[in-house]
Every structure is written in structure tokens, then in C-alpha cells.
Amino acid sequence: MAKLLLVHAPQVVFSSSRSLVSATALYRRPLPVNSKFTSSDSHSPHIVPRLRSRRFSARAFDDSPAELEKDEPRDGVVRDEEYPTGEMVYEDRNAWESIVVKFRMLFAYPWQRVRKGSVLTMTLRGQISDQLKSRFTSGLSLPQISENLVKAAYDPRIAGVYLHIEPLSCGWGKVEEIRRHILDFKKSGKFIVGYINICGLKEYYLGCSCSELYAPPSAYSFLYGLTVQASFLGGVFEKVGIEPQVQRIGKYKSAGDQLARKSISEENYEMLSVLLDNIYANWLDGVSDSTGKKREDVESFINQGVYEIEKLKEEGLIKDIRYDDEVISMLKERLGVEKDKKLPTVDYKKYSGVKKSTIGLSGGRDQIAIIRAGGSISRVKGPLSTPGSSIVAEQLIEKIRSVRENKKYKAAVIRIDSPGGDALASDLMWREIKLLAEAKPVVASMSDVAASGGYYMAMAANTIVAENLTLTGSIGVVTARFTLAKLYEKIGFNKETISRGKYAELLGAEERPFKPEEAELFGKSAQHAYQLFRNKAALSRSMPVDKMEEVAQGRVWTGKDAHSRGLVDALGGLSRAIAIAKQKANIPLDKKVTLVEVSRPSTSLPDILSGIGSSVIGVDRTLKGLLDELTVSEGVQARMDGIMFQQLGRDSLASPIIDLLKDYLSSLR
């Protein structure tokens, strides 16, 4: 019944009154004067001195600090400005380049042809995946949204962009990445018009970055602020007769609190308050920058509890109040389209099929591999797994090895968006990433979250790049075993255990509490697991163990705070990670490179049918995630999300417990 968990701790919900608010990043650096945009990699870092690469020990790790002390300690935090920024500078094409592009468009395939003067229309809503999507799979893809905006900026056939922004359930990291591309698109001089029906914090943060933002008269405004919630199950367990026996290592490891406590601890309150302050402050700063209003004025408006959309217009937070058809009529007039004619448009799906080479955005000879790792971590592919929905260690390891063995790749960027999962799988991937980093430069780019197993992977890279609000760290463990004696008594269930060996019943005899010697062994094993995790983090970050101990203890940091404490090297998005990879590979920063997506979606028949089935039946991420959590698996978990029932669902004895709990609760009705 026992479970050893390397988890992030809080089952936390950041919400903006109406919607969930995951935490990641509002970040924008000033544009360097000597930047040059290269169309293949969508970034333009200035040239800076190359930094010293962090050295790795040859062995993996052990629980002795001796090896760690051999590495040079990190004597202070690397200055963020020493890395290239990755900012974009839009450059007009010369006459010859324009002729070449027109020639390519003339002979483009029919599905890549777009009518001149078209408006690119995209609707952003719900979950946005950090993975590439095939034409047979549903949902939005951050890489394709970003690429569409880059292509549209240079495509002479595209007059502008019309962006519908619906309620979003992705994290702040993806929102910030899209926002950067919106701001970059505006450098082309083309218009980008936003339209918003439901105005939450994330939706408005994107919308206010557009050239113009419109809303219908009946639009909902939920600009009320942010809240954070933490759940506790101690009282529930007490009522149903379950006694959690928790061994928490690290004072901030609040996963143990969720199991055993009935209210929030001082340490958990401190940690969550800091996270909330960072999210709110960055939102205020971002809106202030986009709207030109003072930060205190934006905060004052939020505190008024405004729900009328008219107030947003009066305060200059939106351009005007118009229905969708009125905005389309306005665009037709702007583009000189007759009233009785249809506005020429191209949607997200079709434009995603337009190749960059058609628009003249070809890369250079040097190649950088992009390895995407998103979702919960498992060691092998489960029967219910769908492509791109999780990180399967055996599959990702194969891709990492192929990049290491292929000399055409000058560097690699590992894009991580994961709360963790199986600790063994995390360690196996850590080892492969470490070997890759010894062969060529590796930069980890962290999206919404890279905590526990997600951070475990990242710390093997030469350089870690995070957004300001990326949930980072969570270096700690908590072990928990549930004593069900009272529950069994209430429902009339009995269980007898026959064993051989002094500690044979340590993990299986849930019908009784620990014996003293069992409790001692249980605690020692948890402490040992924590030391291994912490020491490996210290080794990977070239940090003394005692200093790592200060920032570990199960605490979750924002990317900004993690950077100031040496857990992260630079702040920014994927474009900055690519710029740093070029720098470390000794590729001139103004030279074009070709980005090779190693984790492209499969086009095999089973995967295609799986994608079609998900679209037709409507069983997408939500149901798939639920089924995954009910799948039985063994082993240590190093994950951040969903503490209680997700973890029970992964215990080999979880199903009987859940069934018994359901039966008992049903009998009380």
C-alpha cells in the first residue's frame, strides 16, 4: 500500500474567478540595436561572448557529496544579459527575393495557394498543445500557431490577421509565447485585429497585444483578479476511516499536507503566496506595457470589479464594441472589398499546410534539432496512450540517441512542458540528455511547467531557459502509506496477510499501522530517495549540496525566482533557447539555421485512426487523461499535478481502495 512519491506537492488551482490560470510567464526583453532576423529560426540574437559550458561528472550520481565537491561551484548567478535575446527584427525583402517568392507561389501546390489580400483567421481556445499536430488530429498546436504568424508576416498574399480569442485553459507560458509572436507580427506593418467574447485575464492579456481589440455588447468581463486554492483531504480520510501515514522530506513538500492535514501550513501558504504575487505582478506589468496605462491605474480598474464591457471601452482597454459581422465589414472596407463580396480569408488549418519554403523562409545548412517533451512521464507506452499526449521514455530516448549520433545536428533544444511522472523514466531520460550534452550543446526550454520529473530532465542540459512564471524545481519527496483498518471495520471487510521476512508487510499490510521498526525503515528510505534527487540536482547545476538544500526541500519556484537561485540560466522563450544553442554551437548569430522537429507527429495508420477517432467521438485530452490516471502502474512517481486520487490510481492496490471508498460513500446517501 505504500507509495514513494517525488512530487511537486500542492494540488493548486490558480484561477481568475472564472477560469484556471496555470503559471508561466510574462517576459519581454528590449530589442537590441544590432539584431538581425533570420527567417528560418524566427529569432535574431546579437553577438555576445561565449559562456563557459558547465562540466558534468562521468558517473550518474550517488548519495555521497564527494563527487559533487569536485565540480566547480556556481559562484553566483550567470547574468541574464550575457545570453543572446532571440528577439526578432522584421526586414523587408529586396526586389530579387520578392521575385523568387512570387515564382515559388506561382508553382505551389493547390493546397498551398492563398488568394492575394487574404486575412489569416485563427480561433484560440481551450488547451493549446506544445506538440506539433498532424492534419488528422484535432486541437491547436503552439508551434503551428507561432509558425503561422511568422509566415503571415512575410507572406505577400496575407493582408492581416483576425484573431478570435475564446476562453483559454493553457498555461501562461504558452500565452506568452503567442503574445511574443503577435508583437513580432506587428513589426511587419500589417494589422492584427483581436475579437473577444469572454474577457478573462489570459484572454485579455493576448487581446491587448493586438493592434485593435473588439468585443460584442453582450461580452462577459471577468477581470476581477487572481486566486489560489489548495485542497486538503485529512478530514475526508478521517470520516471514512483512512489514516495516511506520511513521511514528508522538505518543509515545503505540501503533498504530504494534502494527505494528512485539514488546513494549509505556514510554509505552503508562504510558497503559494509568492507564486500568486509573481503571476499577478507580471500580468499587471504586461497589460500596462501593451495599453500604455500606468500599472497602478490597471490595478485600480481591476479592484473596481467591472463587469460591463462598456467600461473597458471607456477606459481605452478595447478599441470599440462591435459584433463579429461588423468587424468583418470594417475589414472589407479597409481592404477595398465590395460590400456584397466575401472577405477573402484563410483559416488556421489550411495555412498550417503552407510550407515556409513557399514564402521564402528557407533555413541554412546548419541544423538544430528540436526535441519536444510534453505531458506526464511514463516509462513505456500504455494501451490508452495517444501520440503526443505524454512523454514515453523509451520513445524519447530513441529520439535523443538519434540526435546524438547524427553529426548533421550542431545543437539540440529540448522543449519541456511536463509536471513529471515516473521517476525511473525521468532518470533514464536524464542520463540520455546528459550524454547528448557531452556530445553537442543542449539547451532546455521550459514552457508552462517543468517541475519534479520535468525539471529532472531539464537539469541534464548545458543551459536551462525558463519563462518568468514557469513552475520550476519541486526537488523533494513524500512517501505515504494508507492504513485502512477503520474503513475495513466500517464496511465489514477483512483481510489477512501471511508473510515471510521481517519487512515483507511494509508495503502491503494496509489493514494495520506501522510497527516501530517498519516506520523507521519507511522514513529512512524516504530520506535516502530525497538525498539522491537533491544530490543529482546539485551535480547537474554545479552547485554545492548545502546550497542546493536551501533551494530544494520540495519548494516550487517561478522561473524568475529559480533563475536568481541558480536553478535556471536565462529567462525567455523558445526563440531565446534557439539563439543560445546557436551561440554555444559557434554558429554566427546572424546566420540562418534549419530547425528540425524530431518529434513530428506519426503518420502511421493506427495513429491516424486514433486521431480521427478522438475527433469523431469527442474523447480528447480530458477523457484520455482520466483513463491514464486509472491505469495501473508501479514505481516511484516524480510528478507535480493532481496529488491524491491521481496517485492512488497509480498504486497497484489503488483500484480496490477507490472501489471500497466509493461503495462506502454511496451507502451514506
Side-chain angles (χ1 to χ4, degrees), residues 29 46-52 77-85 563 569-570 576 579-580 583-584 589:
R29 288 182 55 81
H46 58 283
I47 299 176
V48 296
R50 184 175 180 181
L51 299 179
R52 173 183 61 86
V77 179
V78 176
R79 291 180 298 172
D80 190 277
E81 59 269 19
E82 292 186 31
Y83 292 102
T85 64
H563 174 257
D569 296 298
R576 191 172 200 198
I580 294 172
Q583 179 195 55
K584 290 187 171 293
L589 294 171

Side-chain angles (χ1 to χ4, degrees), residues 68 80 89 99 107 141 171 239 254 264 298 329 371 395 398 477 485 511 533 548 563 581 596 643 653 660:
L68 305 180
D80 190 277
V89 173
I99 293 173
F107 292 96
S141 164
K239 289 183 181 295
S254 55
I264 195 168
V298 176
S329 297
I371 306 172
Q395 295 177 348
E398 183 180 344
V477 302
E511 69 274 11
F533 192 5
M548 177 57 69
H563 174 257
V596 180
I643 299 306
L653 299 175
L660 288 170

